[in-house]
Amino acid sequence: MDSKPKRVMAKKKVNIKDVAAKAGVHPSTVSRVLNPDTASMVSRPVAERVTSIASEMGYKRSPMASGLRTGRSYTVGVLIPDLTNPIFPPIVRGIERSLGERGYIAILADSDNNKKDEHAILDSMKSRHVDGLILATAHRKDLAVNTCIDEQIPLVLVNRSIDSHAVTEVINDDEKGISLAIEHLLELGHRSIAYLGGPPDTSTGRDRHQAFKKIMRAHGLEPDPELIVNCAAFTEPEGHLGFLSLLKKHRHFSAVVAANDLLALGCFDALQESELRCPQDISVTGFNDTPFMDRLSPPLTTVQIPLDEMGAKAAQLLLNLIRDPQIDSETIKLKPKLVVRGSTAKPRT
Amino acid sequence: MDSKPKRVMAKKKVNIKDVAAKAGVHPSTVSRVLNPDTASMVSRPVAERVTSIASEMGYKRSPMASGLRTGRSYTVGVLIPDLTNPIFPPIVRGIERSLGERGYIAILADSDNNKKDEHAILDSMKSRHVDGLILATAHRKDLAVNTCIDEQIPLVLVNRSIDSHAVTEVINDDEKGISLAIEHLLELGHRSIAYLGGPPDTSTGRDRHQAFKKIMRAHGLEPDPELIVNCAAFTEPEGHLGFLSLLKKHRHFSAVVAANDLLALGCFDALQESELRCPQDISVTGFNDTPFMDRLSPPLTTVQIPLDEMGAKAAQLLLNLIRDPQIDSETIKLKPKLVVRGSTAKPRT
DNA sequence: TTGTAGGCGTTATCAA
DNA sequence: TTGATAACGCCTACAA
């Protein structure tokens, strides 16, 4: 009469009380046993019995309940500007692997490059009590990032940094990357090298641009402003437009350093349209080495970035930060390398 | 004296009690106002006042607390076999967009094609009280899926189905896709067409294989078992091996239908190695139309699948299922279309 | 070393 | 229509 009929065998969720009852101890004891930080407080035999009974009963701690009590969720928010941009899947993968190893899980969202959505998403994540945040969306001056700093929520930036560097960041060594590209072209004999950059309000846009000028000068070549174009976005159409505007200036350059692979693709489009051949007429280098760049026609010479590692490292730093929020912020720069393929060759004599 | 000094202005989280106090009502009233299902129970003027005060104070309901009470988390688990496989980012994006519109959020995990990890991840998601699950990892007979069914957790499968079709599934119409590829090749004049398939323990592997045989017969061509090879995985190396094994049989086929784009890429590798040209010597078709397939050399003729839509639809069905678990399961098949590019041409005469 | 009691923020249920 | 109360499952001072 007091056993309600269930449709299926409804394995009732076992909670901490059930375990305590079966083990003949108080729920708080069970709690202590199962919590690594407090496990030492309880005697060896009791601890062992509780542990074995708990696993035997299939007990799982309820993160919601414990989170409500402790303010922790063992959950991390990951915000990406656009998951279909091929640099992000490897980063996300690295993040997840690293997080999973320590019992954390990722809430993933895609801001679609939209600042308004971004705030809404961050609010939603915060209201879910994420223990920390990994953002790949940062601009050089970024309100959302500053808000998180004010709120003292553990935070790590990947791929892009902010000007103040007031946060932990895991980024690429862009100066090194650009120098690899330029030096490769110089070795091939190029002297008139154009630069197709990204949006100046992102660190990757700005840093690569600065690096281009700096490295050129270091090699005794004064960069010609007419041979530098910064695109409004890191996309193929923008690269296309940017390259056309370079061409329009009627300059005789023999090579282009593009600030990412998609911009380089845009160059390919524009070259074809202009009946120029790559690499015979103009050499092109990319940046990132996203998937399939080795299969283009011609295969793209590009700067390879350890994306997986970038994600993994970011997750790791975030977990440290969650453990100890007092840790100083640092900017980690990963080393890129050059992958030489078919889109670069000696210039026409 | 009773105001503790805080390092920074610590915007104390405002909770339902604060709102109630300021509005001069009981917390339950606030709860009712803010909950769409119960909002009708409260009088218009009170509701309006509460609403405005709540938003003015920046009140956000705590999903953890409300989840603890209601058993809901407004969170959905999404399990993907490998995020770096280019078909998944668009699917995930579709899922997230659809989820976000209804206040849900996705916990994403990557099983890395590993059944053991998969179980651990699912446990972790369940312990976080996800309200439902979207799985892209299903095999035709899938223990993990069956477990979820037993546990009566709302569940939707994407991209792949299970043999019993006992669950809601959003998949591609593979028979249609394969028929588009075959008919295109037939129109070009091919008669001897090989098939390079995927693992038979996945629905996509099996269905496309069956479809190949069926459609060939429907056109009066008995499929030659020697011209059919099923690969162990949907990967480029497997496609490479598979194609070589087709070649080894010394059959004179003029075209290959590959069961996905990565297998088709493997064909390209093997063709090059064998000094055969595509499409002059052998035409190749792919499946999925993942990014950059239009930029290969030659650009790949392939079957295009609405991946975004697949994800969005799955999320939508899952939310319906969460709302009403009694809804019957259904299998939704999305219509693919053929994208003709440079990897297919008339056979040599 | 273990038990007790109170509360994290909400909402379901019952009473008014 | 609104208010009071208890409970969701867990953790943590504090007491024993």
Side-chain angles (χ1 to χ4, degrees), chain A residues 63 68 74 82-84 92-93 96 103 105-108 110 112 124 127-129 236 265 269 292 295 297, chain B residues 63-64 68 74 82 84 92-93 96 103 105-108 110 112 124 127-128 236 265 269 292 295 297:
Chain A
L68 179 59
Y74 289 91
D82 173 9
L83 193 57
T84 61
V92 171
R93 210 153 176 252
E96 275 176 357
I105 206 164
I107 289 182
L108 183 78
D110 190 310
D112 216 1
S124 160
S127 77
R128 277 169 170 85
H129 287 193
E236 185 175 334
L265 280 183
D269 298 335
F292 301 115
R295 320 215 43 141
S297 156
Chain B
M64 302 211 81
L68 180 60
Y74 289 90
D82 174 10
T84 61
V92 170
R93 211 153 175 251
E96 276 177 356
I105 205 165
I107 290 182
L108 184 77
D110 188 310
D112 216 1
S124 160
S127 79
R128 276 168 172 86
E236 185 175 333
L265 279 183
D269 298 336
F292 301 114
R295 320 215 43 142
S297 157

Side-chain angles (χ1 to χ4, degrees), chain B residues 44-112:
Chain B
R44 189 65 165 271
V46 175
E48 275 169 10
R49 200 153 47 84
V50 168
T51 313
S52 82
I53 289 182
S55 75
E56 171 184 307
M57 296 178 76
Y59 169 72
K60 298 259 165 54
R61 160 163 70 221
S62 157
M64 302 211 81
S66 113
L68 180 60
R69 186 62 240 249
T70 62
R72 287 184 169 246
S73 62
Y74 289 90
T75 291
V76 162
V78 178
L79 187 56
I80 297 292
D82 174 10
L83 193 57
T84 61
N85 176 334
I87 78 162
F88 293 115
I91 293 180
V92 170
R93 211 153 175 251
I95 291 175
E96 276 177 356
R97 189 159 314 161
S98 220
L99 246 32
E101 284 167 8
R102 294 228 236 153
Y104 276 73
I105 205 165
I107 290 182
L108 184 77
D110 188 310
S111 73
D112 216 1

Side-chain angles (χ1 to χ4, degrees), chain B residues 116-227:
Chain B
K116 205 173 135 210
D117 286 358
E118 193 180 319
H119 281 97
I121 292 167
L122 286 176
D123 276 352
S124 160
M125 287 179 168
K126 287 173 194 165
S127 79
R128 276 168 172 86
H129 286 193
V130 291
D131 294 340
L133 246 19
I134 296 180
L135 305 184
T137 48
H139 285 68
R140 286 173 48 209
K141 308 193 186 296
D142 199 294
L143 181 59
V145 172
N146 287 331
T147 307
C148 294
I149 296 175
D150 286 349
E151 293 171 355
Q152 295 184 283
I153 176 166
L155 180 64
V156 173
L157 268 28
V158 262
N159 187 47
R160 294 181 186 171
S161 61
I162 55 174
D163 282 358
S164 67
H165 294 290
V167 204
T168 299
E169 307 166 323
V170 184
I171 59 177
N172 177 249
D173 185 340
D174 283 344
E175 186 170 317
K176 178 68 180 168
I178 291 292
S179 83
L180 289 170
I182 291 178
E183 280 156 17
H184 167 62
L185 292 170
L186 291 176
E187 271 171 30
L188 286 171
H190 293 272
R191 284 300 170 269
S192 186
I193 303 176
Y195 175 75
L196 197 60
D201 63 337
T202 61
S203 64
T204 42
R206 201 267 316 265
D207 292 353
R208 291 171 195 177
H209 181 192
Q210 299 300 329
F212 178 79
K213 292 188 291 191
K214 177 173 170 185
I215 304 292
M216 288 293 276
R217 286 198 188 101
H219 287 278
L221 296 166
E222 184 55 27
D224 177 348
E226 297 259 298
L227 287 185

Side-chain angles (χ1 to χ4, degrees), chain B residues 296-317:
Chain B
L296 304 180
S297 157
L300 185 66
T301 294
T302 186
V303 175
Q304 189 177 70
I305 293 184
L307 296 169
D308 255 276
E309 190 188 337
M310 188 178 270
K313 189 75 191 166
Q316 204 176 307
L317 290 174

Side-chain angles (χ1 to χ4, degrees), chain A residues 16 28 31 59 65-66 69:
Chain A
I16 204 170
S28 47
S31 170
Y59 170 72
S66 85
R69 184 63 233 260

